[in-house]
Amino acid sequence: MEFDPAFECGTLIQRYKRFLTDITLEDGSEVTIHCPNTGSMRHCLFPESKVWFSVSDNPKRKYSRTWELAETPAGHMIGINTGRANALAEEAIIAGVITELCGYDSLRREVKYGSENSRIDILLEDNNQANCYVEVKSCTLLEDGQGYFPDSVTTRGQKHLRELMEMVQQGHRAVLLFVVQHSGIHSVKAAAHIDPTYAKLLDEAHTAGVEILAYSADLSPTAARLVKSCPVNR
């Protein structure tokens, strides 16, 4: 996806109250911007580092700027806006980048499914094969050279794994897709040290037939796209 206009640059001061971030603009002024990330953002917050943000012209918004990208001290780029993961996944599926998900006639977003009242991120359908339920997760946690998900305990994520297993039991295809929005992450693993229940459920899901994929994003202030598969370690 192309960003038009390109994201603007600033310097991180602090993130607080979950959805708020203070930054310094290039002219030296300080502003508060929206942080579109509900996770802990563990190892993604580096005060005095470069950040990039988009600007909305919606007059109803209290904060017109949205935090999009961050740079680590090692020079890695991180996609802060987890809401872009689904769009990146959809674009990559349509373009044929995610080869495991090619060959379907239609793609729908946010379709209700499962016994726990969930909405699947992407539903792929085709008259000649089983439906494919794709749950998308944004992965940004890098520790000791390993990428992890989740970065905090996620009861919602646990529910999604149960829902995917239910789809397999009903004869459908179910896929958990990690969208890696951190240029320093080259493989993904369940963060058992953060959420052991999620890690256990992920193992159960894999054994039950849920497919687990990970694709890395190429990130810049002007564009973002998924470019290649990366390993999922168990």
Side-chain angles (χ1 to χ4, degrees), residues 8-12 23 33 49-53 67 69-71:
E8 298 181 25
C9 188
T11 302
L12 178 64
I23 66 170
I33 67 176
S49 66
K50 281 186 178 181
V51 297
W52 288 264
F53 57 90
W67 190 5
L69 300 172
E71 184 178 63

Side-chain angles (χ1 to χ4, degrees), residues 2-63:
E2 304 292 329
F3 304 130
D4 185 19
F7 298 152
E8 298 181 25
C9 188
T11 302
L12 178 64
I13 300 175
Q14 63 173 337
R15 178 221 191 188
Y16 57 102
K17 293 184 179 178
R18 201 175 189 186
F19 297 109
L20 300 179
T21 302
D22 290 340
I23 66 170
T24 303
L25 299 179
E26 292 184 312
D27 64 6
S29 60
E30 294 183 4
V31 297
T32 299
I33 67 176
H34 172 62
C35 178
N37 192 314
T38 60
S40 71
M41 295 182 65
R42 183 165 169 161
H43 301 323
C44 293
L45 301 169
F46 303 97
E48 300 185 6
S49 66
K50 281 186 178 181
V51 297
W52 288 264
F53 57 90
S54 58
V55 181
S56 171
D57 58 4
N58 184 350
K60 296 182 179 180
R61 285 188 51 164
K62 182 176 182 180
Y63 301 101

Side-chain angles (χ1 to χ4, degrees), residues 5 14 18 21 24 32-33 59 72 92 96 98 106 122 162 195 201:
Q14 63 173 337
R18 201 175 189 186
T21 302
T24 303
T32 299
I33 67 176
T72 74
I98 305 178
S106 70
I122 294 173
R162 293 192 297 268
D195 190 342
L201 280 170

Side-chain angles (χ1 to χ4, degrees), residues 99-118:
T99 56
E100 298 91 340
L101 300 179
C102 290
Y104 289 87
D105 286 338
S106 70
L107 181 155
R108 291 193 287 153
R109 294 268 298 268
E110 297 294 324
V111 179
K112 288 185 178 181
Y113 83 116
S115 60
E116 297 186 54
N117 196 30
S118 295

Side-chain angles (χ1 to χ4, degrees), residues 112-132:
K112 288 185 178 181
Y113 83 116
S115 60
E116 297 186 54
N117 196 30
S118 295
R119 288 181 179 271
I120 195 66
D121 290 319
I122 294 173
L123 176 59
L124 301 174
E125 296 171 298
D126 186 279
N127 291 331
N128 299 315
Q129 57 186 318
N131 290 347
C132 182

Side-chain angles (χ1 to χ4, degrees), residues 150-168:
D151 65 1
S152 59
V153 174
T154 172
T155 55
R156 186 167 180 267
Q158 295 167 18
K159 180 182 77 166
H160 291 156
L161 288 176
R162 293 192 297 268
E163 299 278 41
L164 290 175
M165 285 188 276
E166 182 182 334
M167 292 303 100
V168 172

